[in-house]
Amino acid sequence: MSAAYPFSAIVGLAELRLALVLNAVSPAVGGVLVRGEKGTAKSTMVRALASQLPAVAVLPGCRFSCDPAAPDGQCPDGPHDPTVAGTTRAARLVELPVGASEDRLAGSLDIERALTEGVKAYEPGLLAAAHRGVLYVDEVNLLHDHLVDLLLDAAAMGTSHVEREGVSVRHAARFLLVGTMNPEEGELRPQLLDRFGLTVEVAASREPRERAEVVRRRLAYEADPDAFAARWAEQDAELAERILRARKLLADVVLPDAELERIARVCASFEVDGMRADLVTARTSIALAAWHGRTEVLAEDVRQAALLALPHRRRRNPFDAPGLDEEHLDEALRDPEEPQGEPEPEPEPEGDGPDGGGAPPPSADGDPSDGSGSAGEAPESTRAAPSSAAGTEDAPVEGAPAAAGGGREQAAVAAAEPYRTRLFAVPGVGQGAAGRRSRARTANGRTTGAQVAAGRVTRLHVAATVRAAALHQRARGRTGAGLVLRRADLREAVREGREGNLVLFVVDASGSMAARKRMRAVKGAVLSLLLDAYQRRDKVGLVTFRGADASLVLPPTSSVEIGAARLAALPTGGRTPVGAGLLRAHETLRVERLRDPQRRPLVVVVTDGRATGGPDALGESRRAARLLAATGVASLVVDCESGPVRLGLAARLAEDLGGGPVVTLDELAADGLAGLVRDTRSAA
């Protein structure tokens, strides 16, 4: 087996290196979330970390890595013999695959043996294997929500619980949690972000020499991994020894009251939710002091800890990018009694007129004027500025024919403030990824029935199992009070929950939508639906149509943040090729069905329904709509038509799409407590 890539040989990534080391010094910090673009050595550095961790003493034969000095009194393999000597092994790096099941993560009880033999047989999962080591989750943002919840609960509590039909097992699960993710593939929920102690943003260096050194070292490692590791063994050994010394020093580090108040002041200044940020910053500051060989926390430790512990906790809405304003941080770190410094005096004017550099005296109406210029010419400051695409009302008048060549393109306008929208669900019952939009058969949810168990039973339906076995008790010779069970009697619970869908937005960006206030409202509506998709764990895609064609602006992705950014940059203008937009949506869904066949789509068409761009533009749009409807896709039409005269073209388009709901921009917002708009097909 080839040697792992040495930790000391990794070029750059100083902040990530420090965050990992601090967690190795003090696992109570709470782990690290590593965010960054692909190909930045995130996984390489995390895997290299395991070799730097001190060896652990364990009891032989214990599957839960109990410490001989303090064995877990509730260990499923216990009670342990106190006379048995412990052994030493290297700290483990356990990797959690994205597609892992709940049983693989937490472990599972053998329900069949529990019922038929009366024994509590437990198979440990990855949480048990990672105890006193490192649990690494690559692409943690793609992990199913219920697994992330279970994982972070175990990390916070230090224990893992497995509950199956009244049988309970508990074991210790203390580990260093490290997650990596590419933000382009979707963000973690703010609640889950908060559970990671520290976060680090990584990016590839743009310095040619540093990039060349990365490649040079990687090629040397691939040519001879063992020789390359030997070259860096001394540096790695020194680093491991320093981590061990810092661990021993940790208990002696003092956090003065002044620095604790500084931490509280900083966290309050950034308006973080709850108290976890204060705790993590304090623990990180203590670990930093120990790492530097000091027994007292200094202000510089607090500043460095805040840079690692706060960026992912200051997001105020899902579209905010994690980050920290360092000027704001320095202001919050300053002691209240510390002098602010004298303000710099404003420079004195050097003259009274243009030649002296001074401002001209104001005119009688208050505007500056130097009196120069031609007769009748307005001063420079009062002349009309050139029209700005972002702030003038110069869009084509609605209903006016487009200019030759597709009409004038208008620059992007800002979206209106997002709001809470109604719930639009896909009809029927699906089997897609867990989410919060449409009904689906899922591993978690309310029990709606039972079925014959096909494989290993993990969700036993006790009542159905007893009913199936009761019919055969006399034939099986039952004489006592116990129930005689056979494998064929076992029934699994069928559970119904909610799934996430693919919400494909098809947005009209033509000249008929280009009026400033109108497009601002349309973008606000789409942004609101994007926010709803984020909260309901959907994938999203964005198709726009204008001019002569349609474009797939955003291929289906879990990153609604990218969808919001693409929407913000969307220009408008030109004709209205509705048919082209629907055909592009049809092709996008065809390809996506091959990639993710279980995820059901919901097509959201945002348009006024006016089809222009050819002699039979309306007929083309109707044929494209019927083609899309023939695939059975669920649809929603957001009618953007405005003005006193309404043609009702969007409603006609909705009929061609299969009779899905039609709502105006005003009707899109949620009303009442439930805020539900149900498709007539789902009601049936």
Side-chain angles (χ1 to χ4, degrees), residues 378-389 391-392 394:
E380 184 71 24
S381 62
T382 59
R383 294 176 196 163
S387 61
S388 166
T392 59
D394 60 352

Side-chain angles (χ1 to χ4, degrees), residues 321-673:
L324 208 63
D325 183 347
E326 293 199 30
E327 290 185 6
H328 183 183
L329 174 62
D330 290 335
E331 184 67 26
L333 285 167
R334 186 180 292 115
D335 290 324
E337 62 274 9
E338 184 178 330
Q340 300 291 320
E342 295 296 329
E344 294 184 5
E346 296 184 4
E348 294 291 337
E350 297 180 3
D352 296 328
D355 295 337
S363 62
D365 61 359
D367 290 330
S369 172
D370 60 3
S372 61
S374 317
E377 183 178 349
E380 184 71 24
S381 62
T382 59
R383 294 176 196 163
S387 61
S388 166
T392 59
E393 299 284 341
D394 60 352
V397 178
E398 287 190 56
R408 183 175 55 184
E409 178 178 301
Q410 304 296 319
V413 296
E417 285 297 315
Y419 46 84
R420 179 171 171 258
T421 64
R422 293 172 166 180
L423 169 61
F424 299 93
V426 177
V429 181
Q431 297 181 358
R436 295 184 176 181
R437 183 172 296 278
S438 306
R439 294 172 55 202
R441 293 188 178 90
T442 59
N444 298 286
R446 62 186 181 90
T447 301
T448 59
Q451 62 186 12
V452 176
R456 185 174 183 178
V457 181
T458 58
R459 302 186 304 273
L460 184 73
H461 195 296
V462 176
T465 299
V466 170
R467 285 197 299 268
L471 300 174
H472 310 288
Q473 294 306 293
R474 183 176 296 177
R476 293 172 183 172
R478 172 187 168 189
T479 57
L483 193 66
V484 182
L485 288 173
R486 297 288 184 268
R487 179 70 177 80
D489 300 330
L490 299 179
R491 299 291 186 270
E492 272 192 323
V494 176
R495 293 175 180 168
E496 185 176 297
R498 293 276 171 177
E499 67 177 358
N501 299 107
L502 166 59
V503 182
L504 182 62
F505 295 94
V506 184
V507 179
D508 185 346
S510 64
S512 66
M513 304 285 287
R516 292 291 163 197
K517 293 181 180 178
R518 188 179 187 195
M519 197 60 197
R520 175 177 165 80
V522 168
K523 283 191 175 184
V526 178
L527 189 63
S528 302
L529 290 166
L530 275 170
L531 180 60
D532 182 67
Y534 169 87
Q535 294 168 338
R536 300 190 187 282
R537 315 292 182 261
D538 295 317
K539 290 178 71 173
V540 296
L542 178 60
V543 171
T544 65
F545 56 92
R546 66 186 182 93
D549 204 356
S551 301
L552 179 60
V553 176
L554 179 69
T557 175
S558 297
S559 178
V560 295
E561 291 82 0
I562 297 179
R566 300 285 170 85
L567 178 69
L570 180 65
T572 57
R575 297 187 176 93
T576 315
V578 179
L582 297 177
L583 289 176
R584 181 58 60 95
H586 179 273
E587 176 61 18
T588 301
L589 294 179
R590 185 190 68 79
V591 174
E592 193 61 20
R593 263 187 222 102
L594 300 176
R595 295 174 179 166
D596 194 354
Q598 296 295 330
R599 190 179 289 269
R600 298 187 295 161
L602 172 65
V603 176
V604 179
V605 184
V606 184
T607 182
D608 57 8
R610 302 183 185 187
T612 62
D616 191 25
L618 185 58
E620 290 175 3
S621 70
R622 299 194 68 177
R623 287 190 292 272
R626 290 167 182 166
L627 177 65
L628 195 57
T631 64
V633 64
S635 64
L636 162 70
V637 175
V638 180
D639 185 0
C640 303
E641 191 172 26
S642 61
V645 179
R646 304 202 176 201
L647 305 178
L649 297 175
R652 196 179 307 170
L653 178 64
E655 292 178 5
D656 292 329
L657 283 168
V662 184
V663 295
T664 65
L665 292 174
D666 294 335
E667 296 169 342
L668 192 61
D671 56 342
L673 295 176

Side-chain angles (χ1 to χ4, degrees), residues 73-114:
Q74 294 181 290
C75 176
D77 284 352
H80 296 293
D81 186 349
T83 63
V84 175
T87 61
T88 301
R89 63 162 175 79
R92 290 176 180 155
L93 173 70
V94 177
E95 297 191 36
L96 173 61
V98 170
S101 65
E102 184 176 337
D103 288 341
R104 182 73 183 102
L105 177 61
S108 60
L109 294 173
D110 192 331
I111 301 298
E112 185 177 348
R113 289 190 63 193

Side-chain angles (χ1 to χ4, degrees), residues 194-274:
D194 185 55
R195 299 296 286 274
F196 281 94
L198 310 179
T199 187
V200 176
E201 291 274 353
V202 297
S205 171
R206 298 297 182 256
E207 170 58 42
R209 290 186 180 180
E210 190 169 306
R211 294 174 71 94
E213 183 61 23
V214 171
V215 175
R216 186 179 297 113
R217 292 186 187 183
R218 185 69 198 186
L219 293 176
Y221 170 76
E222 292 173 355
D224 192 343
D226 294 327
F228 184 81
R231 282 173 49 196
W232 295 91
E234 184 176 348
Q235 291 93 322
D236 271 7
E238 291 175 357
L239 179 62
E241 179 61 27
R242 186 178 174 186
I243 291 173
L244 189 58
R245 289 198 305 269
R247 274 194 178 186
K248 293 177 179 178
L249 185 62
L250 196 65
D252 299 325
V253 176
V254 175
L255 177 61
D257 287 344
E259 300 309 321
L260 181 56
E261 290 177 5
R262 193 189 306 274
I263 290 170
R265 191 164 61 247
V266 168
C267 294
S269 175
F270 281 98
E271 299 181 351
V272 296
D273 296 329

